[in-house]
Amino acid sequence: HKKLLSNYFDLGYWQYRRFADDIGLDRNEFLECYQSERHVGLIRSQKKEGEERGVEAVPTLFIGDRKVEGVYPFGDVRFWINQALGRE
């Protein structure tokens, strides 16, 4: 995720291929999956759902009715989850 997010504006075939090599993925399997575009529908539907729910940052969590943008300590996230579950 760090590689993708830190290079967000420079993503494309060659960048993905380099990332795959860097993290040790099977190049042929990765390229076949990438070029098949078999996951494009899922990606588009999830992107649309995020836009409809007002996602503007990565990461964004929805915990109960709370929208949490950014990185928070695990203890805070656990507290919000417990709050949403009525445990706090």
Side-chain angles (χ1 to χ4, degrees), residues 45-85:
S45 69
Q46 290 180 348
K47 182 178 184 284
K48 182 179 179 206
E49 179 184 358
E51 290 168 349
E52 290 170 352
R53 295 187 73 179
V55 173
E56 298 173 346
V58 175
T60 297
L61 302 173
F62 292 93
I63 304 171
D65 294 332
R66 181 189 302 257
K67 177 178 157 184
V68 180
E69 294 180 329
V71 178
Y72 290 87
F74 177 73
D76 292 352
V77 176
R78 179 176 37 205
F79 174 78
W80 295 326
I81 291 170
N82 285 329
Q83 212 176 27
L85 294 172

